[in-house]
Amino acid sequence: NTTTTVQCGRNNVSCCHTTEHLNAMSVQNNTNGLLEYTLAFDLEALLISSTYSLLCVPLIYEIRIVNKIQQANGMYVSGYVSYDFNECSNTTTDNQDVQSIVCIVVDIGVMVFALVSLVTMLRKMLLSYRLYTRTYDFIFTYYNRKITRRERHLFVNYWHISIAMADILLIASASLKLFIDLKIKYNFELTTLLLGAGCWLCYLGLLRYLLFDKHYSMLLTTITVALPHLARFIICVAIVFLAFMFSGWLVLSPYCYKFADPSVTMETLFSLLNGDDMFTTFHTVNTDSFAIKLFSKIYLYSYVCFFIYVVLSLCISIIEDAYSVVSNYRSDSCPWLRDSTVLQEFVSSWEKNIKTSEKS
């Protein structure tokens, strides 16, 4: 169980078989005591793009074989690729220059529009805070009481916060994209991560406009009503899920690669929860021990029966109850929010007074 590192030179490409290579380097070829075998090599490639100039891309490949399941004679095989971009000389054409200028203009336009949107959202949040302070003074002066915590949330527009976060992410991603277009720095991982998160929040912000029509806002309203009950339900379910996760990891990890570590175990259990890959999971426990096989069968059957037939059914019933409440009480005053605050009753009474005065 010792760690040995074997390196090949750049020009040594004649060794293709791992066993021959280990014997040539005088390394003991014993798979029983093998913990990790890493094969790393460099490869240069050319990235031919219609947008950018020709890039010389040295790719560093690393293949790791890790023996974590010795009793089951199974080994992990994983690959990792790291890269670095170097611009090749004398490869830029006029067409590529025009496309690069267009990309730079688009990046600057995205930054400008996102900055304007961010300033607008910050202004709206500032106005909401001013309205909160004036309402707080009014309630405290004329009603001799303070605004409750629930009433404070009425002054917070979470759509504005999500749009502001999306604008910040888009500005950051457009800045990094501008660095790529200007060939200053190549950071594709962070750029795509920020851009993807920003686009996700932007498209979620489009749901805000559906709230103006009660027929199209059923999804958001149902989620709003069901969310407190779902949160309490998920807390209870999470405790049972962690119990199954730690039990499966501690008992089955030496015999099944799907329970090798806590992260993989959670992914396996979540797949079973959705009915995915059940037969393979039942038959990948490789052991001669009758006790382990019996435990795996009882463990998997109890998990599948409990979470699919009980947990999922209860979760669906909670959402259906919320949907029935929303569909039966659709109106502007939102009667499904039965625990209305004093501030909401105050505003609704003034709205009624205004309507009656307009009619008279």
Side-chain angles (χ1 to χ4, degrees):
N1 295 333
T2 58
T3 302
T4 304
T5 302
V6 180
Q7 295 181 354
C8 266
R10 180 180 293 272
N11 298 323
N12 187 10
V13 296
S14 60
C15 184
C16 298
H17 200 281
T18 56
T19 303
E20 297 176 358
H21 180 257
L22 291 174
N23 293 331
M25 300 300 294
S26 299
V27 178
Q28 183 181 4
N29 186 16
N30 185 9
T31 57
N32 293 325
L34 181 64
L35 294 180
E36 181 175 351
Y37 181 81
T38 302
L39 177 63
F41 55 92
D42 298 344
L43 177 65
E44 289 189 356
L46 295 178
L47 175 63
I48 302 177
S49 175
S50 60
T51 304
Y52 308 105
S53 58
L54 194 63
L55 298 177
C56 297
V57 187
L59 300 175
I60 302 174
Y61 290 89
E62 182 176 339
I63 301 175
R64 294 182 180 180
I65 304 175
V66 184
N67 186 5
K68 292 185 179 179
I69 317 172
Q70 297 179 0
Q71 288 91 338
N73 295 324
M75 300 185 71
Y76 281 124
V77 178
S78 59
Y80 304 91
V81 180
S82 58
Y83 58 87
D84 188 17
F85 288 94
N86 298 317
E87 185 179 358
C88 300
S89 59
N90 299 326
T91 57
T92 305
T93 61
D94 295 336
N95 187 22
Q96 292 171 348
D97 289 337
V98 173
Q99 293 179 350
S100 299
I101 293 174
V102 172
C103 291
I104 292 173
V105 173
V106 171
D107 295 336
I108 295 175
V110 171
M111 293 176 61
V112 171
F113 282 108
L115 183 60
V116 173
S117 177
L118 178 61
V119 172
T120 305
M121 291 301 107
L122 293 177
R123 178 179 174 274
K124 290 183 178 181
M125 286 188 283
L126 180 60
L127 293 177
S128 299
Y129 178 75
R130 289 180 179 178
L131 179 60
Y132 164 74
T133 55
R134 294 178 62 182
T135 306
Y136 182 87
D137 296 337
F138 177 81
I139 296 295
F140 185 77
T141 302
Y142 292 97
Y143 290 90
N144 196 18
R145 73 174 187 88
K146 296 182 180 180
I147 294 179
T148 62
R149 181 178 298 179
R150 183 182 177 185
E151 292 173 343
R152 292 175 185 173
H153 290 285
L154 299 175
F155 297 92
V156 180
N157 194 327
Y158 294 99
W159 293 110
H160 294 167
I161 297 176
S162 64
I163 294 174
M165 294 176 59
D167 294 333
I168 294 173
L169 293 174
L170 289 178
I171 291 173
S173 61
S175 302
L176 294 175
K177 180 64 167 53
L178 186 62
F179 290 156
I180 295 175
D181 293 332
L182 294 176
K183 302 179 181 62
I184 298 176
K185 185 179 180 180
Y186 299 97
N187 195 343
F188 288 97
E189 290 87 356
L190 184 59
T191 304
T192 54
L193 178 63
L194 295 177
L195 184 60
C199 292
W200 179 66
L201 290 175
C202 281
Y203 276 93
L204 286 182
L206 295 177
L207 295 174
R208 173 172 175 257
Y209 298 100
L210 299 179
L211 293 176
F212 295 104
D213 193 333
K214 61 183 179 181
H215 298 286
Y216 291 98
S217 62
M218 293 295 296
L219 174 62
L220 296 177
T221 310
T222 304
I223 293 175
T224 304
V225 176
L227 190 59
H229 304 284
L230 282 176
R232 290 188 288 267
F233 178 74
I234 290 174
I235 291 174
C236 299
V237 172
I239 298 175
V240 182
F241 184 83
L242 290 176
F244 276 96
M245 187 271 291
F246 284 111
S247 177
W249 170 49
L250 293 174
V251 179
L252 301 178
S253 60
Y255 311 102
C256 182
Y257 67 93
K258 291 190 174 184
F259 299 90
D261 54 64
S263 177
V264 176
T265 304
M266 293 179 67
E267 294 172 358
T268 302
L269 294 180
F270 188 78
S271 299
L272 291 175
L273 178 63
N274 293 276
D276 182 27
D277 208 13
M278 284 191 178
F279 182 81
T280 306
T281 306
F282 273 89
H283 289 271
T284 50
V285 179
N286 187 9
T287 180
D288 296 330
S289 176
F290 175 76
I292 298 299
K293 285 186 177 180
L294 181 62
F295 173 83
S296 65
K297 301 299 181 183
I298 297 175
Y299 171 82
L300 292 174
Y301 276 117
S302 60
Y303 174 81
V304 170
C305 294
F306 178 74
F307 273 85
I308 291 181
Y309 301 128
V310 178
V311 173
L312 287 183
S313 299
L314 289 176
C315 183
I316 293 173
S317 65
I318 292 174
I319 298 175
E320 287 180 348
D321 291 339
Y323 179 79
S324 63
V325 171
V326 172
S327 60
N328 292 331
Y329 297 99
R330 283 186 296 179
S331 64
D332 295 334
S333 57
C334 299
W336 54 84
L337 299 176
R338 297 177 181 178
D339 299 331
S340 59
T341 62
V342 178
L343 185 60
Q344 287 176 328
E345 294 177 356
F346 174 77
V347 174
S348 61
S349 64
W350 274 96
E351 289 179 350
K352 291 180 181 178
N353 295 330
I354 293 174
K355 290 181 180 179
T356 54
S357 62
E358 289 178 352
K359 291 181 180 179
S360 61

Short mmCIF file of all heavy atoms in Angstrom, two decimals, residues 13 19 21 33 44 57 67 84 102 111 121 136 138 142 148 152 164 171 201 244 274 297 314 321-322 328-329:
data_model
loop_
_atom_site.label_atom_id
_atom_site.label_comp_id
_atom_site.label_asym_id
_atom_site.label_seq_id
_atom_site.Cartn_x
_atom_site.Cartn_y
_atom_site.Cartn_z
N VAL A 13 6.78 7.86 -26.15
CA VAL A 13 5.41 7.51 -26.52
C VAL A 13 5.30 6.07 -27.00
O VAL A 13 4.25 5.65 -27.46
CB VAL A 13 4.90 8.46 -27.63
CG1 VAL A 13 4.82 9.88 -27.12
CG2 VAL A 13 5.81 8.39 -28.86
N THR A 19 0.82 -2.46 -18.11
CA THR A 19 1.60 -3.52 -17.45
C THR A 19 3.04 -3.50 -17.92
O THR A 19 3.99 -3.58 -17.11
CB THR A 19 0.96 -4.89 -17.74
OG1 THR A 19 -0.40 -4.87 -17.31
CG2 THR A 19 1.72 -5.99 -17.01
N HIS A 21 4.58 -0.95 -19.11
CA HIS A 21 5.19 0.28 -18.64
C HIS A 21 5.63 0.15 -17.18
O HIS A 21 6.72 0.58 -16.79
CB HIS A 21 4.21 1.44 -18.79
CG HIS A 21 4.76 2.76 -18.33
ND1 HIS A 21 4.41 3.33 -17.13
CD2 HIS A 21 5.64 3.60 -18.91
CE1 HIS A 21 5.05 4.47 -16.98
NE2 HIS A 21 5.80 4.65 -18.05
N GLY A 33 -2.67 -4.72 -3.88
CA GLY A 33 -2.22 -3.63 -3.03
C GLY A 33 -2.27 -2.27 -3.70
O GLY A 33 -1.78 -1.29 -3.15
N GLU A 44 -1.23 18.75 -27.19
CA GLU A 44 -1.50 20.07 -27.75
C GLU A 44 -2.51 19.93 -28.89
O GLU A 44 -2.39 19.05 -29.74
CB GLU A 44 -0.22 20.72 -28.26
CG GLU A 44 0.71 21.14 -27.15
CD GLU A 44 1.87 21.98 -27.66
OE1 GLU A 44 1.96 22.15 -28.90
OE2 GLU A 44 2.67 22.45 -26.83
N VAL A 57 -4.00 25.18 -27.93
CA VAL A 57 -4.56 24.75 -26.65
C VAL A 57 -3.78 23.54 -26.16
O VAL A 57 -4.00 22.42 -26.62
CB VAL A 57 -6.05 24.39 -26.77
CG1 VAL A 57 -6.64 24.13 -25.41
CG2 VAL A 57 -6.80 25.51 -27.48
N ASN A 67 -8.60 2.43 -6.23
CA ASN A 67 -9.16 1.19 -5.68
C ASN A 67 -9.76 1.50 -4.32
O ASN A 67 -9.05 1.54 -3.32
CB ASN A 67 -8.08 0.12 -5.58
CG ASN A 67 -8.66 -1.23 -5.16
OD1 ASN A 67 -9.87 -1.38 -5.04
ND2 ASN A 67 -7.79 -2.20 -4.96
N ASP A 84 -5.03 25.34 -21.17
CA ASP A 84 -4.49 26.70 -21.18
C ASP A 84 -4.50 27.18 -22.62
O ASP A 84 -4.17 26.42 -23.54
CB ASP A 84 -3.08 26.73 -20.60
CG ASP A 84 -2.58 28.16 -20.42
OD1 ASP A 84 -3.43 29.08 -20.44
OD2 ASP A 84 -1.36 28.36 -20.29
N VAL A 102 -17.90 42.90 -33.05
CA VAL A 102 -19.33 42.73 -32.76
C VAL A 102 -19.54 42.15 -31.37
O VAL A 102 -20.41 42.59 -30.61
CB VAL A 102 -19.98 41.85 -33.84
CG1 VAL A 102 -21.42 41.50 -33.45
CG2 VAL A 102 -19.95 42.55 -35.19
N MET A 111 -23.63 45.05 -20.54
CA MET A 111 -23.21 45.69 -19.30
C MET A 111 -23.98 46.98 -19.06
O MET A 111 -24.40 47.27 -17.93
CB MET A 111 -21.70 45.97 -19.36
CG MET A 111 -20.83 44.73 -19.35
SD MET A 111 -19.08 45.12 -19.55
CE MET A 111 -18.79 46.13 -18.10
N MET A 121 -33.58 49.04 -10.02
CA MET A 121 -34.00 48.16 -8.92
C MET A 121 -33.55 48.72 -7.57
O MET A 121 -34.29 48.66 -6.58
CB MET A 121 -33.43 46.76 -9.12
CG MET A 121 -34.03 45.99 -10.29
SD MET A 121 -35.81 45.75 -10.19
CE MET A 121 -36.37 46.92 -11.44
N TYR A 136 -44.08 53.08 9.43
CA TYR A 136 -43.72 52.77 10.82
C TYR A 136 -44.01 53.96 11.73
O TYR A 136 -44.60 53.80 12.83
CB TYR A 136 -42.23 52.40 10.89
CG TYR A 136 -41.76 52.03 12.26
CD1 TYR A 136 -41.86 50.72 12.72
CD2 TYR A 136 -41.20 52.99 13.12
CE1 TYR A 136 -41.43 50.37 13.98
CE2 TYR A 136 -40.78 52.65 14.38
CZ TYR A 136 -40.89 51.34 14.81
OH TYR A 136 -40.47 51.00 16.07
N PHE A 138 -46.16 56.36 11.13
CA PHE A 138 -47.60 56.60 11.16
C PHE A 138 -48.31 55.63 12.12
O PHE A 138 -49.15 56.02 12.94
CB PHE A 138 -48.18 56.46 9.75
CG PHE A 138 -49.67 56.61 9.67
CD1 PHE A 138 -50.26 57.88 9.65
CD2 PHE A 138 -50.49 55.49 9.63
CE1 PHE A 138 -51.63 58.01 9.59
CE2 PHE A 138 -51.86 55.62 9.56
CZ PHE A 138 -52.43 56.89 9.54
N TYR A 142 -50.20 57.05 15.52
CA TYR A 142 -51.66 57.07 15.61
C TYR A 142 -52.26 55.79 16.22
O TYR A 142 -53.40 55.82 16.68
CB TYR A 142 -52.26 57.29 14.22
CG TYR A 142 -51.97 58.67 13.67
CD1 TYR A 142 -50.90 58.88 12.79
CD2 TYR A 142 -52.75 59.77 14.02
CE1 TYR A 142 -50.62 60.13 12.30
CE2 TYR A 142 -52.48 61.03 13.52
CZ TYR A 142 -51.41 61.20 12.67
OH TYR A 142 -51.12 62.47 12.16
N THR A 148 -45.17 44.56 13.04
CA THR A 148 -44.70 43.22 13.32
C THR A 148 -43.72 42.75 12.24
O THR A 148 -43.56 43.38 11.19
CB THR A 148 -45.88 42.25 13.41
OG1 THR A 148 -46.56 42.22 12.15
CG2 THR A 148 -46.85 42.68 14.51
N ARG A 152 -43.44 43.60 8.12
CA ARG A 152 -42.25 44.15 7.47
C ARG A 152 -41.99 43.51 6.12
O ARG A 152 -41.48 44.16 5.20
CB ARG A 152 -41.04 43.95 8.38
CG ARG A 152 -41.08 44.77 9.67
CD ARG A 152 -39.92 44.41 10.56
NE ARG A 152 -40.00 45.09 11.85
CZ ARG A 152 -39.19 44.85 12.87
NH1 ARG A 152 -38.22 43.93 12.75
NH2 ARG A 152 -39.34 45.50 14.01
N ALA A 164 -32.08 42.41 -9.24
CA ALA A 164 -30.81 43.09 -8.92
C ALA A 164 -29.65 42.08 -8.89
O ALA A 164 -28.56 42.37 -9.39
CB ALA A 164 -30.94 43.82 -7.59
N ILE A 171 -23.50 41.66 -15.22
CA ILE A 171 -22.41 42.64 -15.36
C ILE A 171 -21.06 41.96 -15.17
O ILE A 171 -20.10 42.20 -15.92
CB ILE A 171 -22.61 43.79 -14.36
CG1 ILE A 171 -23.83 44.62 -14.74
CG2 ILE A 171 -21.37 44.68 -14.30
CD1 ILE A 171 -24.20 45.66 -13.71
N LEU A 201 -31.87 33.67 -13.33
CA LEU A 201 -32.64 34.63 -12.55
C LEU A 201 -33.44 35.57 -13.45
O LEU A 201 -34.55 35.98 -13.10
CB LEU A 201 -31.69 35.43 -11.66
CG LEU A 201 -31.05 34.68 -10.49
CD1 LEU A 201 -30.06 35.56 -9.76
CD2 LEU A 201 -32.12 34.17 -9.53
N PHE A 244 -31.11 6.89 6.31
CA PHE A 244 -30.86 5.92 5.24
C PHE A 244 -29.51 6.15 4.58
O PHE A 244 -28.81 5.18 4.23
CB PHE A 244 -31.97 5.99 4.20
CG PHE A 244 -33.20 5.21 4.54
CD1 PHE A 244 -34.29 5.81 5.14
CD2 PHE A 244 -33.26 3.85 4.27
CE1 PHE A 244 -35.41 5.08 5.45
CE2 PHE A 244 -34.38 3.11 4.57
CZ PHE A 244 -35.47 3.72 5.18
N ASN A 274 -36.79 8.58 -7.52
CA ASN A 274 -37.48 8.87 -8.78
C ASN A 274 -37.64 7.63 -9.65
O ASN A 274 -37.99 7.75 -10.83
CB ASN A 274 -36.72 9.95 -9.55
CG ASN A 274 -36.75 11.28 -8.85
OD1 ASN A 274 -37.70 12.04 -8.98
ND2 ASN A 274 -35.71 11.59 -8.07
N LYS A 297 -31.07 -6.06 0.86
CA LYS A 297 -32.43 -6.23 0.36
C LYS A 297 -33.44 -5.50 1.25
O LYS A 297 -34.32 -4.77 0.76
CB LYS A 297 -32.77 -7.72 0.30
CG LYS A 297 -31.86 -8.53 -0.60
CD LYS A 297 -31.91 -8.07 -2.04
CE LYS A 297 -31.00 -8.93 -2.91
NZ LYS A 297 -30.97 -8.46 -4.33
N LEU A 314 -47.54 12.00 0.14
CA LEU A 314 -47.86 13.09 1.06
C LEU A 314 -47.45 14.45 0.49
O LEU A 314 -48.18 15.44 0.65
CB LEU A 314 -47.17 12.86 2.41
CG LEU A 314 -47.73 11.72 3.27
CD1 LEU A 314 -46.89 11.55 4.52
CD2 LEU A 314 -49.18 11.99 3.64
N ASP A 321 -53.70 20.13 -1.98
CA ASP A 321 -54.54 20.89 -1.04
C ASP A 321 -54.36 22.39 -1.24
O ASP A 321 -55.34 23.15 -1.23
CB ASP A 321 -54.19 20.50 0.39
CG ASP A 321 -54.62 19.08 0.72
OD1 ASP A 321 -55.50 18.57 0.00
OD2 ASP A 321 -54.06 18.49 1.66
N ALA A 322 -53.12 22.82 -1.42
CA ALA A 322 -52.87 24.24 -1.67
C ALA A 322 -53.51 24.70 -2.97
O ALA A 322 -54.07 25.80 -3.05
CB ALA A 322 -51.36 24.51 -1.68
N ASN A 328 -60.33 27.60 -5.33
CA ASN A 328 -61.67 27.86 -4.78
C ASN A 328 -61.86 29.29 -4.29
O ASN A 328 -62.98 29.77 -4.20
CB ASN A 328 -61.97 26.89 -3.63
CG ASN A 328 -62.11 25.46 -4.10
OD1 ASN A 328 -62.52 25.22 -5.24
ND2 ASN A 328 -61.75 24.52 -3.25
N TYR A 329 -60.75 29.95 -3.97
CA TYR A 329 -60.85 31.30 -3.41
C TYR A 329 -60.03 32.28 -4.23
O TYR A 329 -59.16 32.97 -3.71
CB TYR A 329 -60.37 31.31 -1.96
CG TYR A 329 -61.19 30.46 -1.04
CD1 TYR A 329 -60.75 29.19 -0.69
CD2 TYR A 329 -62.39 30.91 -0.52
CE1 TYR A 329 -61.49 28.39 0.15
CE2 TYR A 329 -63.14 30.12 0.33
CZ TYR A 329 -62.69 28.86 0.66
OH TYR A 329 -63.41 28.07 1.49
#
